[in-house]
């Protein structure tokens, strides 16, 4: 009866879980999650053979969906991993779906590398034959992640595969999405031939389905690509054909306005300004009727720029102000920032510089705040990702631990059963053996008793004989002992008599010797005393003469000392006056030093504000460190990093001089670098150094004479182009180091400075290398290698520094920074730091 109850209970629990699942949605309460999971686990414990194993995979999957829907990402990931664990053991067909959903979770927080990992797991767990919708979902997720990570070539392969696969499984909308993203990627690669082919496919696909809206969208997007490719006449034909299709077909105002907007932009490129303005105004009117403030702001801003180029400042200002109002109304800060910049340009061209500066400052303030928000969002996504990865690792360890425990438990049960059977077998054998042994034991026991009886009789006889012998021996020993004691007493009495006689003789001799010794000592002491008295009297007479002579000398010395004391008093007064003057000068110098130090400390704050914030490295590189040790309060070294479009620019510079002069040059260098890349964001690395040298020489030129100061800087520049997947390197009197797969490469630069000096007319060269993952780049000044120290007080030299850099590169970037800093302090020891030290390391 008890067995029947145990077997029926899991089924009842499974039914209750199914009931819970039937009510589960994205807003289910946590209590229901816990109840469902606990019930399923209890069912598993009660009966491992029940079909609740399959239900547990489904249970965890449903709970994970609800947790993710409620924003509980960490517990959602844990539930997904539980679902994967159960599906791997009992429900293999669920695995692809779970992997895809986990990939979607990571994709939603922009953790595309992790998302790819799960989409690939999904593909590996799907049977290639027959083709299924699950393959479509996995490939689409993988392709989108590759696109977002900038792996454009891989994304093209995946989207092309998705295009082919969607035909077989009749997923038309998926194919349209695949073709759309292919066109976007080809646009990014400026491969306009493939862009055109892709949009033709989209058009033909829509035409075959009599999808007029799809045809219009394909023509509109094709026109946009043709505008980018400067095929404006082809773009005109595409857009006019799209408008022709739109006639008599109801399309959204947003799409219709977009067609007119693209026509306006196209005619603007054809320099047909009247038509451009006409179509842009038509698009603007449609958006006004729809109360679409966002697009109204965009079009007004475009019109403002057109009128600005025409020189029509009135219309330009009117449209710019309207754009600002629309952008404010919609609340789009990015667009508002662009509108402020446009209006600032219009005011500047209209010579209203004060107002232009005011709007430019508004543009800069918005731009900086948007950048800050973007950085905070990036950091927030990074924190969420780190929490999910931690939760995933912990859950995987937990699941692995549970599986190990299960295996160990099964193994223990098997061993216990084996031992139980062995014990039963041994027990039976021992019972048989014990019966045989019992028979033998009885026979032996009888023989033993007979032997013991005979032995006891023999022992009794032996004991009686030994006792009689012992009694005789005792009587003999007593007789011998008495005779020996008598002999001892006689010997002792004779010895005492002889000792008394010797003592009397010895006492007589001692008395005679002491009397003679005392007499001799008394006579000797009298002679010695008389000799000592005679010597003392003669010595006292001589000392008296010496004392009288010294007294005369002391009287003369006292007179001389008195004269000198008078002179010293006069000199002391002069010294006191000089000390007062020195104290006053010291206090004055201390006040000036404090003022100068405070100024330099404030200059340090300004310099730190100008130097790039290390947070930018967190957002741009996989890992990094910055080691900056100024020799003085402010530094002549600086590092600088920025991102322009798809290019990340990183530089480390060593300016002429230290302290305040070097800091001033560093601020000048940073300002000039910002100005150069702002005006030309796609500038090559060597052209950047060329422009920087020209601007530094012009900035430092002596307007009062013909001499140009020979000040400037040495600098390393690396530009990481994420679109072309290359790094551009240009170096002025600098070297950089690159580490990949334990291979250490030193890249040497040009022997030419940024400023006037030997080789300052020599053009800078550029070195281009492919970007390879897991590669470390090190940019540095020469302060570390030039430091004096060690046992012999010599320079470290560049070879020792590079060896240290290579040996420490096997650690993480943060550990490497600590190692380098500690090695520098150990090498320097008690020696002064002679130069500023800067090392920047980044990992791709």
């Amino acid at each position: 009866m008890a067995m029947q109850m145990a077997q029926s209970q899991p089924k009842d629990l499974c039914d209750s879980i199914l009931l819970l699942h039937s009510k589960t949605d994205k807003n289910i309460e946590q209590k229901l999650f816990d109840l469902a999971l606990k019930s399923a686990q209890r069912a598993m414990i009660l009966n491992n053979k029940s079909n609740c194993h399959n239900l547990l995979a489904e249970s965890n999957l449903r709970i994970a969906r609800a947790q993710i829907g409620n924003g509980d990402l960490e517990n959602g990931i844990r539930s997904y991993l539980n679902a994967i664990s159960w599906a791997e053991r009992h429900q293999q067909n669920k695995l692809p779906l779970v992997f895809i959903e986990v990939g979607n979770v990571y994709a939603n927080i922009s953790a595309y590398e992790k998302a790819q990992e799960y989409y690939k797991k999904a593909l590996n767990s799907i049977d290639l034959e027959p083709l299924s919708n699950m393959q479509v979902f996995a490939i689409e997720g993988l392709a989108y992640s590759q696109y977002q990570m900038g792996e454009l070539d891989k994304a093209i392969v995946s989207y092309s595969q998705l295009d082919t696969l969607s035909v077989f499984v009749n997923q038309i909308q998926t194919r349209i999405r695949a073709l759309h993203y292919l066109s976007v990627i080809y646009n990014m690669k400026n491969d306009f031939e493939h862009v055109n082919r892709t949009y033709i496919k989209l058009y033909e696909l829509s035409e075959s389905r009599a999808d007029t809206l799809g045809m219009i969208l394909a023509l509109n997007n094709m026109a946009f690509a043709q505008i980018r490719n400067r095929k404006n006449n082809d773009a005109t034909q595409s857009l006019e054909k799209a408008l022709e299709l739109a006639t008599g077909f109801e399309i959204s105002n947003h799409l219709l306005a977009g067609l007119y907007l693209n026509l306006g932009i196209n005619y603007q490129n054809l320099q047909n300004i009247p038509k451009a303005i006409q179509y842009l105004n038509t698009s603007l009117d449609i958006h006004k009727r729809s109360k679409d403030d966002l697009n109204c702001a965009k079009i007004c801003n475009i019109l403002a720029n057109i009128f600005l180029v025409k020189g029509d400042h009135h219309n330009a200002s009117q449209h710019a102000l309207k754009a600002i109002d629309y952008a404010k109304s919609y609340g789009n800060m990015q667009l508002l920032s662009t509108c402020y910049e446009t209006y600032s340009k219009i005011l500047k061209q209209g010579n209203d510089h004060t107002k232009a500066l005011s709007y430019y400052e508004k543009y800069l303030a918005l731009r900086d705040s948007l950048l800050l928000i973007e950085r905070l969002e990036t950091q927030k996504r990074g924190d969420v990702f780190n929490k999910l990865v931690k939760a995933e690792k912990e859950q995987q360890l937990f699941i692995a631990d549970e599986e190990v425990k299960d295996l160990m438990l099964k193994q223990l049960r098997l061993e216990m059963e084996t031992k139980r059977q062995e014990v039963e077998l041994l027990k039976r054998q021992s019972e048989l053996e014990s019966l045989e042994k019992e028979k033998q034991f009885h026979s032996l026991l009888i023989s033993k008793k007979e032997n013991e009886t005979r032995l006891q009789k023999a022992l009794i006889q032996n004991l009686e004989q030994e006792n009689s012998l012992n009694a005789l021996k005792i009587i003999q020993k007593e007789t011998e002992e008495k005779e020996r004691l008598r002999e001892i007493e006689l010997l002792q009495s004779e010895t005492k008599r002889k000792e008394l006689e010797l003592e009397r003789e010895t006492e007589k001799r001692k008395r005679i010797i002491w009397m003679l010794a005392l007499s001799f000592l008394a006579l000797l002491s009298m002679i010695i005393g008389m000799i000592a008295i005679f010597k003392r009297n003669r010595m006292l007479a001589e000392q008296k003469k010496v004392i009288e002579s010294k007294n005369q000398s002391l009287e003369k010395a006292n007179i001389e000392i008195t004269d000198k004391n008078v002179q010293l008093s006069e000199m002391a007064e002069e010294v006191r006056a000089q000390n007062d003057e020195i104290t006053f000068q010291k206090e004055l110098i201390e006040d000036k030093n404090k003022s100068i130090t405070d100024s330099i400390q404030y200059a340090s704050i300004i310099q730190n504000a100008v130097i790039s914030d290390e947070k930018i490295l967190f957002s741009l590189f996989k890992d990094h460190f910055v080691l900056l040790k100024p020799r003085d309060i402010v530094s002549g070294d600086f590092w600088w990093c920025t991102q322009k479009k798809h290019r990340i620019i990183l530089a480390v510079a060593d300016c002429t001089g230290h302290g305040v002069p070097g800091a001033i040059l560093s601020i000048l260098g940073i300002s000039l670098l910002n100005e150069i890349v702002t005006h030309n964001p796609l500038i090559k690395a060597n052209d950047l150094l060329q422009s920087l040298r020209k601007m530094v020489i012009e900035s430092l030129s002596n307007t009062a004479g013909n001499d140009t100061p020979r000040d400037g800087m040495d600098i390393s520049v690396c530009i990481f182009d994420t679109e072309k997947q290359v790094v551009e390197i240009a170096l002025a009197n600098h070297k950089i180091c690159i580490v990949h797969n334990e291979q250490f490469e030193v890249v040497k630069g040009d022997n030419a400075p940024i400023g006037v000096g030997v080789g300052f007319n020599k053009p800078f060269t550029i070195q281009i290398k492919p970007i390879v993952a897991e590669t470390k780049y090190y940019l540095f000044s020469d302060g570390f290698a030039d430091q004096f120290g060690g046992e012999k007080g010599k320079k470290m030299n560049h070879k020792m520094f590079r060896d240290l850099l290579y040996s420490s590169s096997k650690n993480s970037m943060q550990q490497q920074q600590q190692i380098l800093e500690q090695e520098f302090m150990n090498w320097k020891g008690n020696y002064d730091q002679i130069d500023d030290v800067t090392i920047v390391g980044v990992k791709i």
Side-chain angles (χ1 to χ4, degrees):
M1 187 66 182
M3 193 66 183
Q4 289 176 353
M5 289 178 66
Q7 288 177 347
S8 64
Q9 197 171 0
K11 185 177 184 304
D12 297 336
L13 288 169
C14 293
D15 293 339
S16 68
I17 297 162
L18 286 172
L19 180 62
L20 283 173
H21 285 165
S22 67
K23 298 177 180 179
T24 300
D25 58 19
K26 290 186 178 179
N27 298 314
I28 190 170
E29 294 180 0
Q30 187 65 39
K31 288 181 180 178
L32 293 179
F33 301 159
D34 296 339
L35 181 59
L37 186 58
K38 286 178 181 177
S39 298
Q41 289 172 340
R42 188 178 170 199
M44 179 192 69
I45 293 168
L46 289 172
N47 194 341
N48 286 327
K49 295 180 181 180
S50 171
N51 59 1
C52 283
H53 292 97
N54 296 337
L55 188 58
L56 271 174
E58 181 67 26
S59 172
N60 281 286
L61 181 58
R62 288 172 181 258
I63 292 169
R65 287 171 182 165
Q67 287 170 327
I68 296 297
N70 285 343
D72 189 359
L73 301 184
E74 290 183 56
N75 284 321
I77 286 294
R78 293 179 192 274
S79 297
Y80 271 127
L81 290 174
N82 284 336
I84 289 169
S85 176
W86 286 108
E88 283 176 340
R89 285 179 280 176
H90 305 289
Q91 206 170 0
Q92 292 283 335
N93 62 330
K94 283 284 181 186
L95 275 174
L97 177 61
V98 184
F99 284 137
I100 289 169
E101 291 190 14
V102 176
N104 292 341
V105 171
Y106 281 113
N108 287 335
I109 62 167
S110 302
Y112 296 109
E113 186 175 358
K114 196 72 178 173
Q116 281 194 54
E117 178 186 328
Y118 278 93
Y119 291 134
K120 288 175 181 176
K121 284 182 179 180
L123 287 170
N124 290 333
S125 63
I126 298 171
D127 293 331
L128 296 178
E129 296 293 341
L131 299 175
S132 65
N133 289 333
M134 209 62 69
Q135 284 176 278
V136 172
F137 298 148
I139 293 172
E140 186 170 11
L142 178 63
Y144 182 74
S145 298
Q146 290 166 340
Y147 160 68
Q148 288 292 347
M149 287 183 68
E151 297 174 350
L152 301 184
D153 292 332
K154 290 182 180 179
I156 288 171
V157 172
S158 296
Y159 274 121
S160 299
Q161 187 180 357
L162 182 64
D163 176 29
T164 305
L165 183 60
S166 59
V167 174
F168 287 101
V169 296
N170 197 26
Q171 288 278 359
I172 303 301
Q173 292 301 321
T174 303
R175 190 183 180 202
I176 291 171
R177 286 197 299 274
L179 291 171
H180 168 71
Y181 276 108
L182 279 171
S183 64
V184 171
I185 294 168
Y186 285 130
N187 253 315
M188 292 171 68
K189 291 171 71 68
N190 295 323
D191 187 351
F192 297 108
E193 183 181 349
H194 276 97
V195 171
N196 198 49
R197 289 181 190 174
T198 307
Y199 281 125
I200 289 170
K201 279 186 180 180
L202 277 169
Y203 180 82
E204 291 173 348
L205 179 61
S206 300
E207 189 177 28
S208 67
R209 299 172 62 238
D211 182 3
T212 306
L213 179 60
M215 294 163 66
I216 294 169
L217 288 169
L219 288 167
N220 183 49
N221 292 332
M222 187 186 300
F224 180 75
Q226 288 164 341
I227 291 170
R228 284 195 68 225
N229 197 20
R230 298 181 181 177
K231 292 186 176 182
N232 299 100
N233 292 324
D234 293 342
T236 304
Q237 292 176 10
S238 299
L239 289 167
E240 287 177 349
K241 187 175 180 181
L243 283 170
E244 184 182 342
L245 287 170
T247 306
F249 181 79
E250 287 189 12
I251 63 171
S252 67
N253 288 333
H254 180 77
L255 178 56
L256 184 61
L259 292 171
Y260 283 117
L261 172 61
N262 284 340
L263 265 172
I265 293 170
N266 188 49
Y267 279 116
Q268 181 188 2
N269 291 342
L270 289 168
Q271 301 301 315
N272 190 341
I273 303 303
K275 273 198 171 184
I277 294 171
Q278 174 192 340
Y279 282 114
L280 287 170
N281 279 321
T282 304
S283 178
L284 180 61
D285 291 337
I286 295 170
H287 283 306
K288 281 181 180 177
R289 289 196 297 272
S290 302
K291 296 183 180 180
D292 187 350
D293 291 342
L294 177 64
N295 282 296
C296 286
K298 290 179 181 178
I299 295 170
C300 285
N301 190 60
I302 293 169
L303 286 167
N305 279 296
I306 290 173
F307 284 117
L308 175 63
V309 173
K310 284 182 67 179
D312 186 350
H313 294 99
H314 174 72
N315 278 316
S317 297
Q318 292 298 317
H319 283 90
L321 288 170
K322 286 179 182 178
I324 290 169
D325 289 338
Y326 280 124
K328 283 182 179 177
S329 175
Y330 189 80
N332 188 313
M333 296 298 105
Q334 183 69 50
L335 182 56
L336 181 60
S337 170
T338 304
C339 295
Y340 279 145
E341 185 182 21
T342 301
Y343 191 43
S344 171
K345 290 177 183 176
I346 294 167
L347 292 168
K348 184 179 179 182
Q349 203 173 91
N351 293 321
D352 190 350
H353 295 289
T354 304
K355 203 170 180 182
L357 179 61
S358 172
Y359 274 90
Y360 190 72
E361 286 174 347
K362 288 181 180 180
Y363 154 69
L364 289 176
L366 265 181
R367 186 195 67 179
D368 292 343
S369 65
L370 288 168
L371 283 172
L372 178 60
I373 291 168
E374 185 181 350
R375 287 177 186 171
L376 291 173
E377 285 297 323
T378 303
Q379 187 175 356
K380 185 179 178 181
R381 285 196 299 271
D383 292 342
V384 172
F385 172 69
N386 290 333
K387 287 180 181 178
L388 289 187
V389 170
K390 183 181 177 183
E392 181 181 337
K393 288 180 180 177
E394 288 175 352
Q395 192 64 20
Q396 285 173 341
L397 289 172
F398 174 76
I399 291 169
D401 188 48
E402 289 298 314
E403 289 176 353
V404 170
K405 286 179 181 177
D406 287 344
L407 288 172
M408 289 178 66
L409 188 61
K410 288 177 182 177
Q411 186 177 355
L412 284 171
R413 285 174 180 167
L414 183 62
E415 288 176 357
M416 287 175 66
E417 182 62 23
T418 304
K419 286 181 179 178
R420 188 187 65 78
Q421 292 176 357
E422 289 176 354
V423 168
E424 287 292 330
L425 183 61
L426 289 171
K427 188 177 178 182
R428 290 175 185 173
Q429 289 178 350
S430 73
E431 286 176 355
L432 291 172
E433 289 175 358
S434 62
L435 289 172
E436 183 65 28
K437 286 179 180 177
E438 193 172 353
K439 291 179 182 178
Q440 293 177 359
F441 176 74
H442 285 301
S443 62
L444 289 171
L445 188 63
I446 293 167
S447 301
K448 183 181 177 183
K449 286 181 178 178
E450 291 175 352
N451 289 330
E452 284 177 353
T453 304
R454 285 196 294 270
L455 286 171
Q456 284 177 356
K457 289 179 180 179
L459 284 171
I460 290 167
Q461 290 176 358
N462 289 333
L463 286 172
E464 288 175 350
Q465 291 175 358
E466 285 179 1
N467 287 334
S468 59
L469 289 171
N470 287 333
L472 291 172
K473 286 179 180 178
I474 288 168
I475 294 167
Q476 187 179 356
K477 282 182 179 179
E478 286 177 354
T479 305
E480 290 175 353
E481 185 67 22
K482 287 177 182 179
E483 290 179 357
R484 189 174 64 82
L485 286 173
R486 287 174 191 164
E487 290 176 356
I488 289 169
E489 286 175 359
L490 290 173
L491 287 171
Q492 285 178 349
S493 61
E494 183 66 22
T495 302
K496 284 181 181 179
R497 187 182 63 77
K498 289 180 179 178
E499 284 177 355
L500 287 172
E501 289 178 357
L502 284 172
E503 284 178 3
R504 290 192 193 103
E505 290 293 326
T506 303
E507 284 294 327
K508 287 179 182 179
R509 289 174 186 170
K510 283 181 179 179
R511 288 193 194 101
I512 294 167
I513 290 167
W514 276 110
M515 287 177 67
L516 290 172
L518 288 172
S519 301
F520 178 75
L521 287 172
L523 180 62
L524 184 62
S525 63
M526 287 175 62
I527 295 168
I528 290 169
M530 291 175 66
I531 293 169
I533 291 167
F534 176 75
K535 285 183 178 180
R536 192 185 303 161
N537 290 336
R538 190 171 64 181
M539 189 183 297
L540 287 172
E542 291 175 355
Q543 287 177 352
K544 183 180 178 183
K545 291 178 182 179
V546 172
I547 289 167
E548 288 174 354
S549 173
K550 285 183 178 180
N551 285 336
Q552 292 175 359
S553 300
L554 287 171
E555 286 176 1
K556 291 179 182 179
N558 283 333
I559 295 167
E560 292 176 358
I561 288 166
T562 303
D563 294 338
K564 286 182 180 179
N565 283 338
V566 174
Q567 294 175 3
L568 288 170
S569 298
E570 294 173 353
M571 290 172 67
E573 289 297 326
E574 292 179 6
V575 169
R576 286 193 198 96
Q578 290 175 359
N579 284 339
D580 292 340
E581 180 66 21
I582 290 167
T583 302
F584 174 74
Q585 293 293 337
K586 177 175 175 289
E587 291 174 353
L588 188 62
I589 290 167
E590 286 176 349
D591 289 341
K592 288 182 178 179
N593 281 340
K594 186 177 183 302
S595 177
I596 292 167
T597 304
D598 291 343
S599 298
I600 294 173
Q601 291 284 5
Y602 188 69
S604 173
I605 295 170
I606 295 171
Q607 186 184 29
N608 289 333
V610 172
I611 291 175
S612 298
D613 190 345
E614 195 172 342
K615 289 180 182 177
I616 193 172
L617 297 179
F618 279 105
S619 62
L620 296 177
F621 294 99
K622 187 174 182 180
D623 200 359
H624 77 279
F625 75 82
V626 175
L627 176 60
L628 181 61
K629 296 182 74 64
R631 192 193 76 168
D632 305 309
I633 297 170
V634 289
S635 173
D637 286 2
F638 71 85
W639 69 276
W640 175 79
C641 184
T642 188
Q643 183 178 25
K644 296 295 179 182
K645 297 185 178 179
H646 54 273
R647 293 160 64 82
I648 301 168
I649 308 170
L650 177 65
V652 168
D654 183 358
C655 300
T656 305
H658 311 286
V660 176
I664 292 170
L665 275 175
S666 72
I667 293 171
L668 173 65
I670 292 169
S671 302
L672 295 178
L673 286 169
N674 282 324
E675 184 178 346
I676 291 166
V677 298
T678 300
H679 287 89
N680 190 356
L682 300 179
I683 191 169
K684 295 290 185 183
N686 58 331
D687 294 335
L688 175 61
L689 294 189
Q690 202 72 29
S691 300
L692 180 62
R693 178 163 64 188
K694 181 182 176 184
M695 295 172 78
V696 166
I697 292 173
E698 288 174 357
S699 300
L700 298 179
S701 294
N702 187 355
T703 55
N706 296 323
D707 295 333
T708 301
R710 301 174 74 85
D711 293 324
M713 62 192 74
D714 301 331
I715 189 169
S716 307
V717 173
C718 292
I719 301 179
F720 300 90
D721 192 322
T722 56
E723 185 177 276
K724 297 179 181 177
Q725 288 294 298
V726 296
V727 56
E728 300 173 7
I729 302 170
L731 311 168
N733 280 339
H734 260 193
K735 299 174 183 176
I736 70 166
C737 295
I738 302 174
V739 179
H740 177 68
N741 284 341
E742 299 187 359
Q743 297 297 317
F744 190 76
E745 180 184 0
V746 179
V747 182
K748 298 180 180 179
D750 299 303
N751 292 323
I754 302 297
V756 177
V758 177
F760 77 100
N761 288 322
K762 179 181 176 182
F764 291 104
T765 58
I766 186 171
Q767 301 181 55
I768 300 176
K769 296 179 179 291
I771 292 178
V772 182
E774 302 299 320
T775 301
K776 296 181 179 180
Y777 296 83
Y778 299 95
L779 287 70
F780 46 84
S781 64
D782 56 5
F784 200 115
D786 288 346
Q787 178 60 43
F788 287 96
E791 295 180 357
K792 298 181 179 179
K794 294 183 178 181
K795 282 187 179 182
M796 176 176 279
N797 74 48
H798 289 274
K799 184 181 182 304
M800 286 177 65
F801 168 64
R802 289 197 294 269
D803 291 344
L804 176 60
L805 202 61
Y806 173 64
S807 63
S808 61
S809 66
K810 298 172 185 177
N811 299 282
S812 69
M813 284 296 190
Q814 287 72 27
Q815 290 172 335
Q816 189 174 8
Q817 177 185 356
Q818 294 171 3
I819 292 168
L820 291 171
E821 192 164 4
Q822 187 60 48
E823 287 294 332
F824 179 78
M825 298 306 295
N826 292 341
W827 176 263
K828 183 172 76 71
N830 295 324
Y831 291 91
D832 292 332
Q833 185 174 334
I834 65 166
D835 198 358
D836 302 315
V837 174
T838 303
I839 307 173
V840 176
V842 295
K843 182 180 180 182
I844 301 298

